[in-house]
Amino acid sequence: MSDLLLSIRDLYVSYGKVEAVHGVSIEVPRGEIVTVIGANGAGKTTLLNAAMGILPARGSIEFEGRNILRQPVEDRVGGGMTLVPERRELFATMPVEDNLLLGGFLISSSERARQLEEVFVRFPRLKERRRQLAGTLSGGERQMLAMGRALMAKPRLLMLDEPSLGLAPLIVADIFSIIRDLRSAGVSILLVEQNARAALRVADSAYVMELGEITLQGKAAELAADPKIVETYLGLATH
Amino acid sequence: MDSTILLFLLQDGITNGALYGLLGITTVLVFAVTRIIFVPQGEFVTYGALTLALLDTGRVPGTVWLLIGFGVVAFFVELWMSRHDLDARRIIRETLTKIILPCLIALAVIWLAPMKLPPWANLLITLAIITPMGPYLYTIAFRPVAEASVLTLFIVAIGVHLSMQGLGLVFFGAEGLRATPLSTLSLPVGPLVVTGQTLSIYILTLVTMAALTYFFNKPLFGKALRATAINRLGARLVGIRTSLSGAIAFVLAAIIGALTGALSAPMTTIYYDTGFLIGLKGFIAAIIGSLASYPLTVIAALAVGVAEALASFYASQFKEVIVFTLIIPVLVWLSLSSHHVEEEEE
Amino acid sequence: MSNISTTSHPINATPAKSRRPLFFATLAIIIFLIPLIPGIPVYWITLLDNIGLAALVAIGLILLTGVGGMTSFGQATFCGFAAYTTAVLCAYHGMSPWLSLFIAVAVTMLAAIVLGIITVPLSGHFLPLGTLAWGIAIFYLFGKLDFLGRNDGITPVPPLSIGSYQFFDSRSIFYVIWVFVIIAVFMTSNLLDSRTGRAIRALRGASSAAESFGVDTTRTKLIVFVYAALLAAISGWLYAHMQRAVNPTPFGVGASIEYLFMAVAGGAGHPAAAIFGAAFVTLLKEILTRLLPFLFGGQAHFEEVVFGIVLVLILQKSRMGLWPLVERLLPQPADPVIDRSAPALSQRPQPEAGRKILDLKMVRKQFQGLVAVNDVSFSIKAGEIAGLIGPNGAGKSTTFNLVTGTLPLTSGEIRYLDERIDGLSPRQIAARGIARTFQHVKVLTDMSVLDNVALGAHLRGSAGVASASLRLDRKEEAQMLAEAARQIERVGLGEHMHKQAGSLALGQLRILEIARALCLDPSLLLLDEPAAGLRHFEKQQLSALLRQLRSEGMTVLLVEHDMGFVMDLTDHIVVLDFGTKIAEGTPAEVSKHPAVIQAYLGADA
C-alpha cells in the first residue's frame, strides 16, 4: 500500500446532468509512469480534472493514503500533486518568469529560487525567453512553460493532459524524454495521451478508456502488443 | 477670464480629479483581480461619507444595521456554497467572521457614537463599519458567478449598485449631510488657499496610487492576485485561493471607498446618490487607464476634473454632455490599440 | 466521422411538424382578447400597454445583446430620438402622427447609423462602455436643449387618430401597440432563421470564421444595431402619443438598464422571450412600488433594492434568463426540414489540373521586430494535395492567415490563378473560392451542426434582412440547407446534423469545419491540423475523403503534425522553420532531407 501514490476507486464524475466518467478505478504506484489512452470524448480529461479537484466527483481518491476527495484544488497542490491541463491555462499577459514563480506560490521563497534554477536547467528555452509574455510563446514553448510551472510546486505526482497535442514531432520527442527524466528524478506521472504509440512506449502501465469506462488495463508493453489496441489506436507503423 | 479665475478652476478641477482618481484606482484594482467592472464603488464612498457625518452629530449610523445584514446574508451564502464539505471548524470560522464580528462592531458603535468623539476617532469607526462590507458583498453577489464573463459580471455589478444605492436612500434618507473637517489647517498659496482637507485627499490619492502600483507588480502575492483575473483556473492550479483573492480586493476597495467618502464629506454636501456620480467619472478615468495602469488612471482623473471645471465655467449647461462625449474618442482609440480577441470574450 | 458503422437515422423522413407556430398564434389571439374580458380594470390594460412598449425595445435588445453579443446601455436613447421627433413634429408643427412615424423612425435610424459606426467596431467591454457614454451624454442633451423644452419636455402631444377616432384611452391604443409587438416578434424570428440570421449569430464567438466565409461582420453588426434601434424608435413613437407628453426621464440610462434587465431576464433563446422579460420586469416594478410601501410604510424606495437583488439572483441562478423555464412548457420546435428536391446551388468550374493555383513570391510577415514568415516562395498546382509542415511557431498558421487575407503581408505577393490576392479582404478571397479550417476550432457551440455548416454557403446566397424577415427567402434557404446537409453527410456527420455543435468531440468539430469549408464550393481548401485529435481509424477516413476531393478536381493545402498521415496523403510538401522555407519536394524527398530531420522530424522518425 505504501508504494501506491494515487489510488482512484470507483469514481463517478458528471457535468451537470451528463455523467462522463462511470465508476473508474486507477492506481499510480510511486515512481512510475501511468498512462490513460482513449478516443476524444472518452472522459480522460474529465478524469484528470476530477483527480485534481476541478470537478466534483463521487467515489474515492486517495493520495499517499489520505482521502482527498473533498479537498479543494489549492490544498491538493500544496499536498504534492499538480496538473498540466490540456489548454495549458497560462498567465498569458505575464512574463515567462512570473508564470514560473507563481507555480511555486505555495513554497518558501528560497526553495522557489532553487526550483526556478532547476526548471531553467531542464528547459533552457524558458530561460532564454524569461522576459517574454507567455501569450506570445509558440505551442511547444507553451507546453514547456506549463510543465515548468507545474514542476515549480515540487510535486510528487505530475498529471499531464495531452502534452503532445498539436506539437511538432521533434518537440513531442523532447517532451517525452523530459517525462522519462522526471521519473528518474523521482516524480510519478499520470499521463493522458492521444498519441497512444508514444505514451505506451514511455509508460510502465496503461489503461484504455472508452465512453467513460476503463475497458482494458495492464503493463504498457503488453497493451502495445494487443491486436485490438493496434488496430484502433496505433495503426500499422507507417514510418 | 483672468489668470486668478483660471487658477481657481484648476484647483477645483484638481481636487475633484483627485477624488475621481481614488475611485478610478479602485476600479482598476478590483478589475485587475476579479474582472469585475465595479460600478458600486461609489456607494462605499457615500456610505463612508454619510456614516462619518452621522457620527459627527453623535447618532448611530444606519450602516451598522446594514453591516449586520450583509454579514448574515454572506454567512448563509457561504454555508450554501460550501454545503458539500461543511465541518465544525468552518462553521465556527464563518460565524466568527460574518456574525460575531459585525455584531461586535455594531455594539461598539452604539456605545461610542453618543460620546461625540473627535473626527479622527470617528474616521476609524467609519472604516471599521464599512471595510467588512467589501468582502461580504463579494461573497453574496460575485463569488457565485466568479467564472462568468466580464459582461455578466458588469451587469451583476449594476444590480448591486441599484440595491446599494436604494439601501443608501433607506438608511440615510434623501437629505444631504456634511461632516466636520478633520483638519482646520489652511495654507495660502498665491491667491489660492489649500486646506488640510484637500491636502489630505491629494496625499491619499498619490500614496494609494504608489502603493497599489508597487503591490501588484513587485511582491509575488500581488502578482498572484493579478493572476487570478488573468486565468482563474491557472491560478487555482498553482495553489492560489481565488475566492480569497477576490475578498482581499474587496477589502481594499471598501477601505479606499470609505476613506474617499470620509475625506470628501467635510468639503461638500453628500447625498445618497452622490457616490455614483463621482464614481462614473472615476470610472471614465479607469477606462482611459485601460483598467490596468494606476498612474495613467490618476492622470486621466485629473484631466477629467479639470475638463469638467473648465466646462462648467464656459458652458455650465453642457458640462456632463461634454465630459461624457469626450470619452467616446478615447474608447475608440483604446479599442483600436488593444489587440483584443473577441473570441475569447465569450 | 466516428461511429460511422452505427446505423444513422433516416434523415429524409419528414419530422413531425411542430405545434409551436400554432401555440404562438393562439397566444397572440389570447392577447388580443384580453381587453374584451368584461369588467377588466383599465389599470390592467395600461400595464399591458407598458409591457408591450417595453417588449418592443427588448426584442431589439435580445437580437443585439443576446444573439449578436453587443451589450447596449443606450436603447432608451433611441426611444428618445423617436419620441422627441414625433413630439416636435406633431405638437409644434401639427403633423399627423402616422406621417411622423416615418420621420421619427428615419431620424432614429440615421442617429443609430452615426452612433453605430462609432460604437460597433469597439471590442470587448469597450462597446457597452461606449453606449453608456453616449447614452448619458445624449440624455443630458435632451434636458438642456431649448427646442426640446429642456427638463420640462414637450406637452401636449396629440394622440393617434384615424379619421375622427382618437386612440385616447389605454384600451384603444392597446391594439396598436400589440400589433407592432407581434409583427416584431414574427419578423425577428424569421430573420434569425435565415442566411443573415446565421451571420448575426456568428458575430458572437466566431466572427473571424464568419469573415472567412464572406460575412461582412462590421456591416452585419451595424445592421443589427440599426434594427434594434428601429424597434426602440417605434416604441418611443408609441410612447409619446400614449403619454401625450415627453420629457428626458424615460430616456436616460436608468431606463436603458431596465431594458437590458428585461432582455437578460427573458434570455436570448427567442424574440418572444422579450415579452416575458418585459412582463416580468414591469410587473415586478409595479408590485414593488405598490406592495413595499404598504408593508414598510413611508418611503417607497425599497423597489430599487429589490430590483437589484432580483437582477443579481437571475444572473446567478439562470444565466440564460427565464425563457428556458418557459420553453420547457412549450411544444418542441421541429428540426428544420431538408428539402432534397431543392435545386442544387450553382458550382464553380474547377481549374484545369496541373495549372498553378496558388503562387507565393517572397512573402514576408513581420510583427514588430519578429519575422514570422521570412520571404517564403512556393507554389501549388491545381488538383494536388500539398502539405505545409514545420515546428511549432514556424509560421505555418501565419502563412494560412496571409493567404486567406486574415493578416496583411509586410511584403511579397500572393497569386491565385494568376490574380494577385494579397491586399484583398478575407471576404473577397473567400469569394474567389478559397476556403479554410482553423487550428483552434471556430464553431458556434450553441448552434446546430446544420446551421454551422450552412454558414459556409453564405456567399452562395443573397437574401438580406428584408426578404428574410418577410419570409421571401425560403427557396434559396432550402437550397442552402440542402447543400449543407449534403456536405455533412459526405464527411460522415449525418447522424449529428441536428445536434448542437457543442455536443460534438473536438475531432468531430474539426470535421464539421471541413464540411463548412466545402459548403463554400472551394477550388482551394486550406486545412489547419485537420487530423489532430482523431484516432487512427478516423484519420484513415479523413484521408479517403481528401483523396476523393482531389479526384473531383479540388486542391488541398494542409498543415499537420502527424507525419504518417502527411507522408501517406500528400503529393508535395513545403517545410518551414523559423519562418523560412528549408525544404520542398515529394514526401520521400522531404523525409530524407537533412535540414528537415534536424529541425523537425528528429532522428528516429
Side-chain angles (χ1 to χ4, degrees):
Chain A
M1 199 64 196
S2 65
D3 67 335
L4 216 51
L5 190 61
L6 178 75
S7 159
I8 293 175
R9 273 194 306 274
D10 215 18
L11 199 74
Y12 290 84
V13 194
S14 308
Y15 281 110
K17 282 179 192 142
V18 186
E19 193 178 271
V21 170
H22 329 286
V24 164
S25 301
I26 275 182
E27 291 180 347
V28 182
R30 198 182 290 275
E32 284 199 8
I33 300 179
V34 175
T35 185
V36 181
I37 60 173
N40 227 313
K44 308 186 301 288
T45 296
T46 311
L47 175 68
L48 280 196
N49 285 346
M52 195 63 220
I54 296 167
L55 290 174
R58 286 182 296 124
S60 129
I61 307 175
E62 282 184 8
F63 184 71
E64 296 181 328
R66 278 175 299 115
N67 184 1
I68 56 162
L69 187 70
R70 293 283 169 79
Q71 257 187 8
V73 180
E74 303 84 10
D75 292 352
R76 297 189 205 199
V77 176
M81 60 199 282
T82 51
L83 169 69
V84 179
E86 189 176 354
R87 299 169 47 137
R88 324 309 195 215
E89 311 292 353
L90 300 172
F91 306 121
T93 51
M94 286 185 170
V96 167
E97 186 166 332
D98 282 354
N99 270 272
L100 290 174
L101 290 173
L102 283 168
F105 182 66
L106 294 179
I107 58 178
S108 73
S109 63
S110 57
E111 272 185 301
R112 197 182 299 132
R114 216 176 314 129
Q115 202 66 11
L116 184 67
E117 283 316 307
E118 253 179 59
V119 168
F120 278 155
V121 169
R122 210 177 283 284
F123 301 99
R125 190 74 166 265
L126 295 182
K127 189 168 187 177
E128 287 165 31
R129 311 245 153 167
R130 63 202 292 177
R131 311 239 173 273
Q132 200 174 321
L133 297 186
T136 64
L137 296 179
S138 76
E141 290 162 349
R142 275 182 217 206
Q143 179 57 33
M144 289 179 189
L145 178 56
M147 286 176 73
R149 189 181 69 177
L151 289 172
M152 284 294 295
K154 298 184 79 179
R156 291 184 291 288
L157 173 67
L158 180 67
M159 299 191 282
L160 299 168
D161 195 354
E162 306 282 4
S164 79
L165 193 68
L167 299 185
L170 203 57
I171 308 235
V172 173
D174 262 3
I175 297 277
F176 278 100
S177 85
I178 289 168
I179 292 175
R180 251 182 236 116
D181 289 352
L182 285 173
R183 179 180 51 182
S184 335
V187 182
S188 313
I189 287 162
L190 178 56
L191 170 69
V192 154
E193 253 301 338
Q194 299 237 334
N195 188 341
R197 186 195 307 273
L200 290 177
R201 213 179 283 158
V202 76
D204 299 295
S205 58
Y207 296 80
V208 178
M209 200 165 173
E210 274 169 9
L211 299 172
E213 286 171 28
I214 300 292
T215 52
L216 267 176
Q217 67 186 80
K219 291 277 153 218
E222 288 164 18
L223 286 191
D226 186 311
K228 264 193 295 185
I229 303 286
V230 171
E231 194 206 340
T232 326
Y233 296 102
L234 303 177
L236 294 170
T238 46
H239 62 278
Chain B
M1 177 172 75
D2 62 36
S3 59
T4 317
I5 296 180
L6 184 66
L7 279 177
F8 272 117
L9 286 177
L10 275 179
Q11 189 194 18
D12 198 33
I14 288 172
T15 308
N16 283 332
L19 277 179
Y20 302 157
L22 277 169
L23 277 130
I25 289 173
T26 324
T27 309
V28 174
L29 150 76
V30 174
F31 187 81
V33 180
T34 62
R35 297 179 303 122
I36 298 166
I37 298 179
F38 192 53
V39 188
Q41 178 61 15
E43 270 68 54
F44 282 142
V45 176
T46 311
Y47 287 10
L50 295 178
T51 303
L52 183 69
L54 284 172
L55 285 171
D56 267 350
T57 63
R59 281 180 284 171
V60 175
T63 28
V64 294
W65 311 123
L66 213 51
L67 176 67
I68 295 176
F70 273 35
V72 170
V73 177
F75 174 76
F76 284 111
V77 172
E78 181 76 51
L79 290 198
W80 173 254
M81 279 194 300
S82 52
R83 63 190 179 280
H84 294 301
D85 43 0
L86 270 185
D87 50 28
R89 242 183 58 210
R90 181 159 206 153
I91 297 177
I92 293 171
R93 195 181 68 204
E94 299 306 329
T95 315
L96 280 176
T97 54
K98 299 198 165 72
I99 309 260
I100 308 286
L101 177 72
C103 287
L104 285 179
I105 294 173
L107 283 176
V109 174
I110 293 168
W111 176 54
L112 292 171
M115 296 183 189
K116 291 209 181 185
L117 295 171
W120 62 265
N122 283 339
L123 176 65
L124 289 182
I125 296 174
T126 304
L127 283 177
I129 298 173
I130 306 298
T131 306
M133 284 188 187
Y136 295 162
L137 186 67
Y138 178 69
T139 304
I140 296 168
F142 295 103
R143 245 183 73 193
V145 285
E147 325 264 331
S149 68
V150 172
L151 282 180
T152 305
L153 290 170
F154 185 28
I155 301 176
V156 170
I158 286 174
V160 172
H161 152 69
L162 286 178
S163 287
M164 284 184 67
Q165 182 170 299
L167 287 169
L169 182 57
V170 170
F171 280 95
F172 299 112
E175 270 164 55
L177 291 169
R178 206 170 174 141
T180 42
L182 291 168
S183 120
T184 48
L185 177 83
S186 67
L187 297 169
V189 179
L192 306 174
V193 176
V194 178
T195 64
Q197 201 70 33
T198 53
L199 206 58
S200 63
I201 289 178
Y202 299 157
I203 293 170
L204 179 65
T205 306
L206 290 176
V207 168
T208 316
M209 177 188 87
L212 290 177
T213 308
Y214 172 80
F215 176 66
F216 281 107
N217 289 299
K218 290 295 165 200
L220 192 67
F221 189 65
K223 288 177 185 170
L225 289 187
R226 272 200 299 136
T228 308
I230 298 173
N231 190 323
R232 213 177 158 76
L233 179 56
R236 297 184 69 196
L237 287 174
V238 299
I240 299 168
R241 283 182 199 283
T242 50
S243 56
L244 188 64
S245 305
I248 291 171
F250 272 67
V251 165
L252 291 174
I255 292 178
I256 302 173
L259 273 176
T260 312
L263 290 183
S264 54
M267 298 200 310
T268 170
T269 309
I270 306 274
Y271 299 87
Y272 75 99
D273 60 353
T274 308
F276 178 60
L277 296 175
I278 305 177
L280 267 181
K281 284 157 195 162
F283 190 53
I284 294 176
I287 294 163
I288 299 175
S290 309
L291 288 169
S293 161
Y294 298 97
L296 207 58
T297 300
V298 170
I299 292 169
L302 294 176
V304 169
V306 170
E308 192 187 37
L310 294 178
S312 64
F313 182 79
Y314 285 111
S316 62
Q317 283 286 319
F318 295 98
K319 185 178 95 174
E320 316 286 351
V321 180
I322 293 169
V323 169
F324 283 98
T325 307
L326 278 178
I327 187 189
I328 294 170
V330 177
L331 282 174
V332 172
W333 181 73
L334 283 174
S335 171
L336 288 178
S337 60
S338 80
H339 299 282
H340 198 96
V341 185
E342 62 201 282
E343 252 75 341
E344 288 168 358
E345 194 58 64
E346 251 301 86
Chain C
M1 201 90 197
S2 69
N3 300 329
I4 202 162
S5 51
T6 59
T7 49
S8 58
H9 300 290
I11 292 149
N12 247 332
T14 346
K17 202 150 170 59
S18 169
R19 290 201 300 272
R20 197 173 253 212
L22 190 71
F23 171 84
F24 278 119
T26 321
L27 194 68
I29 292 169
I30 292 174
I31 290 174
F32 281 121
L33 291 178
I34 291 175
L36 302 179
I37 299 171
I40 188 165
V42 177
Y43 164 70
W44 286 29
I45 307 288
T46 312
L47 266 184
L48 284 169
D49 288 349
N50 290 333
I51 291 173
L53 287 178
L56 275 172
V57 185
I59 291 167
L61 208 47
I62 280 190
L63 197 66
L64 185 67
T65 302
V67 182
M70 289 174 276
T71 305
S72 165
F73 288 92
Q75 290 318 97
T77 311
F78 293 125
C79 299
F81 275 116
Y84 271 109
T85 307
T86 197
V88 168
L89 291 175
C90 300
Y92 293 167
H93 302 286
M95 189 183 276
S96 149
W98 301 107
L99 190 59
S100 77
L101 168 62
F102 294 97
I103 301 176
V105 166
V107 166
T108 310
M109 285 173 73
L110 197 69
I113 290 171
V114 173
L115 289 172
I117 286 173
I118 303 168
T119 313
V120 149
L122 296 179
S123 58
H125 55 262
F126 292 117
L127 192 146
L129 295 176
T131 63
L132 195 60
W134 53 250
I136 294 175
I138 293 170
F139 164 73
Y140 278 112
L141 199 60
F142 283 149
K144 305 289 182 196
L145 291 177
D146 284 323
F147 77 99
L148 297 181
R150 310 181 66 126
N151 278 321
D152 300 327
I154 299 171
T155 186
V157 178
L160 296 177
S161 60
I162 293 178
S164 62
Y165 180 77
Q166 294 194 311
F167 294 82
F168 245 131
D169 62 344
S170 355
R171 215 174 278 262
S172 56
I173 203 166
F174 174 91
Y175 288 101
V176 186
I177 292 173
W178 281 91
V179 164
F180 274 112
V181 173
I182 284 164
I183 293 176
V185 169
F186 177 71
M187 290 180 52
T188 309
S189 50
N190 286 348
L191 178 60
L192 278 176
D193 176 28
S194 75
R195 173 178 174 271
T196 311
R198 280 189 292 273
I200 295 171
R201 286 191 271 172
L203 292 178
R204 183 182 184 160
S207 56
S208 59
E211 282 278 335
S212 302
F213 289 100
V215 177
D216 185 339
T217 50
T218 310
R219 188 167 159 270
T220 309
K221 282 182 182 175
L222 195 59
I223 287 173
V224 181
F225 192 80
V226 174
Y227 185 90
L230 177 139
L231 291 178
I234 293 171
S235 173
W237 172 80
L238 282 164
Y239 176 88
H241 294 290
M242 184 176 107
Q243 292 293 318
R244 312 210 15 253
V246 290
N247 69 68
T249 316
F251 310 123
V253 168
S256 285
I257 291 176
E258 230 164 72
Y259 291 130
L260 194 62
F261 186 6
M262 291 172 193
V264 169
H270 192 277
I275 300 177
F276 288 89
F280 176 76
V281 173
T282 311
L283 294 178
L284 178 69
K285 223 171 99 177
E286 198 61 28
I287 292 168
L288 291 178
T289 41
R290 288 179 169 265
L291 185 69
L292 289 178
F294 177 73
L295 286 180
F296 296 97
Q299 286 164 330
H301 287 288
F302 267 111
E303 90 231 22
E304 233 183 31
V305 181
V306 180
F307 223 63
I309 293 172
V310 173
L311 179 57
V312 172
L313 278 177
I314 288 181
L315 286 165
Q316 285 185 352
K317 297 296 163 204
S318 171
R319 225 171 285 171
M320 302 305 289
L322 301 173
W323 179 252
L325 306 179
V326 177
E327 194 168 36
R328 225 174 286 160
L329 308 173
L330 299 187
Q332 283 300 307
D335 289 335
V337 182
I338 290 153
D339 180 6
R340 302 287 163 163
S341 62
L345 294 167
S346 63
Q347 273 180 293
R348 78 182 86 234
Q350 293 295 6
E352 165 199 348
R355 185 179 163 195
K356 217 182 252 183
I357 187 167
L358 186 69
D359 192 16
L360 279 74
K361 279 207 188 92
M362 296 297 281
V363 167
R364 186 180 186 83
K365 179 65 191 175
Q366 248 166 284
F367 296 104
Q368 277 114 31
L370 189 83
V371 184
V373 177
N374 188 2
D375 300 335
V376 168
S377 305
F378 65 87
S379 60
I380 296 169
K381 294 198 203 77
E384 69 177 10
I385 299 180
L388 186 60
I389 63 172
N392 303 99
K396 304 181 301 290
S397 290
T398 309
T399 307
F400 266 30
N401 288 335
L402 295 174
V403 171
T404 53
T406 315
L407 288 173
L409 274 68
T410 306
S411 64
E413 63 175 72
I414 300 177
R415 284 176 187 276
Y416 172 73
L417 293 172
D418 301 331
E419 181 197 8
R420 264 190 86 153
I421 56 165
D422 50 285
L424 298 185
S425 70
R427 298 192 302 278
Q428 291 166 315
I429 291 173
R432 280 159 177 74
I434 301 182
R436 71 174 298 182
T437 66
F438 295 87
Q439 185 187 3
H440 303 288
V441 170
K442 293 183 199 293
V443 159
L444 285 157
T445 48
D446 55 357
M447 206 157 88
S448 73
V449 171
L450 182 70
D451 275 335
N452 265 297
V453 172
L455 182 66
H458 189 82
L459 283 172
R460 296 167 84 185
S462 60
V465 177
S467 63
S469 46
L470 297 173
R471 236 87 188 116
L472 302 174
D473 62 338
R474 289 299 99 182
K475 194 170 138 248
E476 180 188 290
E477 180 70 6
Q479 285 180 289
M480 289 173 84
L481 290 185
E483 172 71 6
R486 200 169 69 83
Q487 301 300 353
I488 290 169
E489 282 156 14
R490 183 179 200 181
V491 300
L493 289 177
E495 60 178 314
H496 303 293
M497 192 179 298
H498 299 295
K499 285 189 192 158
Q500 288 208 334
S503 67
L504 269 56
L506 191 64
Q508 291 172 319
L509 291 177
R510 292 188 176 280
I511 302 299
L512 185 159
E513 284 210 336
I514 297 177
R516 181 174 67 187
L518 290 177
C519 259
L520 181 95
D521 182 27
S523 296
L524 175 62
L525 185 59
L526 304 178
L527 304 178
D528 205 339
E529 299 195 23
L534 296 187
R535 285 184 294 174
H536 177 69
F537 176 59
E538 295 162 334
K539 285 178 186 172
Q540 286 178 323
Q541 290 184 329
L542 178 61
S543 287
L545 172 68
L546 296 181
R547 284 199 178 92
Q548 192 205 338
L549 292 173
R550 173 173 59 186
S551 71
E552 290 167 16
M554 203 176 287
T555 314
V556 180
L557 173 62
L558 54 88
V559 165
E560 183 53 61
H561 284 307
D562 183 327
M563 281 306 107
F565 183 82
V566 173
M567 295 295 171
D568 195 32
L569 184 66
T570 53
D571 307 300
H572 181 91
I573 292 178
V574 176
V575 190
L576 297 183
D577 186 26
F578 289 113
T580 310
K581 185 173 87 175
I582 56 169
E584 185 176 0
T586 63
E589 288 163 5
V590 163
S591 60
K592 280 194 276 279
H593 197 291
V596 179
I597 292 173
Q598 207 248 322
Y600 183 62
L601 294 175
D604 63 332

